[in-house]
Amino acid sequence: MIGIVFNGGGSRIAAHAGYTIGPLANVKYDQLFGVSAGSIWASVLGFRGPQVGLQVLAEITSTDQIFVKKDDIALIGDLALRRYPGVPYGYGPLRKLIQKYIVGRPSVPVTISRVHINTGYHQHITANPDGTFETDNDALGKVETIEDFQDAIVCSCIIYPMVDGFIAKNGIDGYADGGYREAGPVKIAMENGCTELHICLTGMFSQDSGANGQDGSIIGGTTNLFLAMANENLLNDVDEVIENQNVTSFFYMGTYQGDSNVFDQVDIQANIKTASQVQPVLRNNLKIID
């Protein structure tokens, strides 16, 4: 069974688009997996196909089409009224995009992940071609409809506390980015029986997290720490796949331009082109670059 895993990486979702129309174009996959930005691409690919994904990326010209920065009044309202208050960005525009484009049923099972803020536990959610949905732990919240799945994708992409934590309809359960626990859902892919995995990275296999080390603000520091954590998750996930002798694994990676937190059309199109020309690296040939 062949699976494709799309890692998180913000605007580097463009790399996933490039891999899909380039080196992955002739891969006949059975399952798709993704976390954070990778959950969006896995879902768009599974539900609508690569051309719709390319269309969506071509329409994104600025970051506020994904996350909107709040004014002071909104932030004060957060502090007074919200369960997870005081964060500077909201996910409203992203949610509208997901609700618009990820509809219907997927052609193959699509599995994404999110983190339950209340407990810190991890939950994987799968959309099946027959229109049903399942999770690996319903105690962390059931997913029963396409609307529930759309919301789970939103949750997977929220870098709380930079972007609002997602509050479930019951007003109790909160969710955030699956990237807090994994760079990509490789473990569940192997547990599901995948014997061939194509792992799509949004950068190089490196210990360099991408933190700039210059921004002394709370948001800048939080961003740097999140990048460090995400990088450690990446290293661990890759190692776990490489060590599994029962899985043939291929890795896709490249050096991409722009800031992963900034959505810029020039960078998006350049990164799609770069990724489309990447060659897969077989497990035994993968080496960390620093």
Side-chain angles (χ1 to χ4, degrees), residues 1 5 185-199 235-251 282-284 286:
M1 188 158 57
V5 177
V186 297
K187 186 172 183 178
I188 196 168
M190 293 186 288
E191 290 176 351
N192 283 3
C194 288
T195 54
E196 179 177 318
L197 280 180
H198 297 261
I199 315 295
L235 299 179
N236 293 336
D237 288 347
V238 169
D239 286 343
E240 188 163 3
V241 175
I242 290 175
E243 290 169 2
N244 191 328
Q245 299 299 316
N246 298 317
V247 175
T248 301
S249 52
F250 300 88
F251 295 86
L282 186 62
R283 175 189 67 194
N284 295 340
L286 184 67

Side-chain angles (χ1 to χ4, degrees), residues 20 64 89 170 185:
T20 301
D64 60 12
Y89 293 93
N170 61 17

Side-chain angles (χ1 to χ4, degrees), residues 207-218:
Q207 295 187 66
D208 180 2
S209 68
N212 60 36
Q214 298 176 355
D215 189 343
S217 69
I218 293 175

Side-chain angles (χ1 to χ4, degrees), residues 42-58:
S43 299
V44 170
L45 182 59
F47 279 79
R48 303 296 300 276
Q51 294 307 313
V52 172
L54 289 169
Q55 173 192 333
V56 174
L57 290 179

Side-chain angles (χ1 to χ4, degrees), residues 11-57:
S11 65
R12 302 281 172 81
I13 189 176
H16 297 326
Y19 297 144
T20 301
I21 63 174
L24 289 171
N26 295 317
V27 173
K28 305 300 181 183
Y29 51 85
D30 300 295
Q31 295 188 30
L32 296 170
F33 304 84
V35 68
S36 200
S39 73
I40 297 178
W41 188 258
S43 299
V44 170
L45 182 59
F47 279 79
R48 303 296 300 276
Q51 294 307 313
V52 172
L54 289 169
Q55 173 192 333
V56 174
L57 290 179

